[in-house]
Amino acid sequence: MVKACPFSMRTLKYWLSHYRRYGMGGLDNESRRPKSHPWETPIRIKERIIELRRKTKKCALKLQWQLAKENIILHKNTIHKIIKAEGLTRKYRVRKLKYKYIGVPLQLGELLEIDVKYVPKLLENRQYYQFTAIDCASRWRYLKIYEDYSNLSAINFLKELITIAPFRIRAVKTDNGSYFTNRYTGYEKSTDPLNPTLQCF
């Protein structure tokens, strides 16, 4: 049987003895937790800590000082665990601040977002780029295809956008892409060539 079963002979004998003594209930998994602990705090000391806590409302450190006068030496963490296990710890209410944000509607042309993306497919084996401008208030948009995404293309797109837009453009929002900033041309103008100051065109 041991050869056909993946368990050891000792385990099989243990199961057999429990089955003969307790029946099918003896084969149930039982907890291996010890019934007692040699370093466990005595019951009378626990009751004394609980009594002092309910009577004086002192913290674990002050209870440690008071117990030391009674020749009971315990660590403050042990006292705190006993208090916490009995549910005698203080519950502090955390006040959650609720902020009410008031959204101010934008006006036409107050903010336009400009971004660049790759055209998904190649046209005549060439890669093209799409410049897109969207008005945050009316969602009006304007887009144009360019052969590259250089500073010159970004400037030309912005000039055409100012001319074509049916409203006055007050602000433009872009990312820190090299085609919208002086990332490459700002090295000569910056006092620190290794850390140029990025500025929009």
Side-chain angles (χ1 to χ4, degrees):
M1 183 176 179
V2 177
K3 295 182 179 179
C5 184
F7 302 99
S8 63
M9 176 66 74
R10 182 178 179 181
T11 303
L12 294 176
K13 289 182 178 180
Y14 175 80
W15 288 346
L16 182 60
S17 63
H18 270 245
Y19 175 74
R20 289 175 177 175
R21 182 178 300 179
Y22 306 107
M24 292 298 297
L27 300 179
D28 296 336
N29 293 327
E30 298 179 355
S31 175
R32 300 291 181 178
R33 185 176 181 180
K35 303 298 182 180
S36 61
H37 195 279
W39 298 102
E40 185 179 3
T41 306
I43 298 297
R44 64 176 185 85
I45 297 180
K46 289 184 178 180
E47 293 178 351
R48 180 57 178 164
I49 293 173
I50 296 171
E51 179 185 358
L52 291 175
R53 173 65 176 181
R54 290 176 176 172
K55 184 178 180 180
T56 62
K57 303 295 182 181
K58 293 182 179 180
C59 63
L61 182 59
K62 293 183 179 180
L63 288 177
Q64 181 189 22
W65 297 341
Q66 186 168 350
L67 291 172
K69 297 179 181 179
E70 302 177 8
N71 295 326
I72 300 176
I73 307 301
L74 283 178
H75 197 275
K76 65 175 183 178
N77 293 344
T78 304
I79 299 174
H80 179 73
K81 289 181 180 179
I82 296 173
I83 295 173
K84 187 176 181 180
E86 292 295 325
L88 299 177
T89 55
R90 298 175 183 175
K91 296 181 180 180
Y92 296 94
R93 294 182 60 186
V94 180
R95 184 180 179 184
K96 296 182 179 180
L97 300 178
K98 296 182 179 180
Y99 297 95
K100 186 177 181 181
Y101 296 95
I102 301 176
V104 179
L106 297 175
Q107 302 296 327
L108 289 176
E110 188 173 354
L111 180 62
L112 268 76
E113 295 181 350
I114 299 179
D115 198 4
V116 182
K117 64 175 295 185
Y118 295 91
V119 176
K121 295 182 180 180
L122 297 178
L123 300 177
E124 298 180 357
N125 295 327
R126 297 188 62 179
Q127 180 69 60
Y128 289 88
Y129 305 90
Q130 174 182 316
F131 282 71
T132 306
I134 301 178
D135 180 44
C136 295
S138 62
R139 308 309 296 174
W140 175 88
R141 66 181 59 196
Y142 173 72
L143 57 90
K144 190 173 182 180
I145 304 297
Y146 287 89
E147 296 181 355
D148 57 9
Y149 56 105
S150 60
N151 295 137
L152 180 61
S153 299
I155 293 174
N156 292 336
F157 177 76
L158 183 58
K159 289 181 179 179
E160 294 182 12
L161 178 64
I162 295 174
T163 305
I164 295 176
F167 42 76
R168 180 184 176 186
I169 300 176
R170 301 180 182 179
V172 174
K173 179 182 178 182
T174 65
D175 54 15
N176 286 331
S178 59
Y179 35 85
F180 291 127
T181 62
N182 63 339
R183 183 179 296 274
Y184 297 116
T185 60
Y187 287 94
E188 299 178 356
K189 300 179 181 180
S190 177
T191 56
D192 186 3
L194 298 179
N195 297 301
T197 302
L198 297 182
Q199 297 176 354
C200 59
F201 279 96

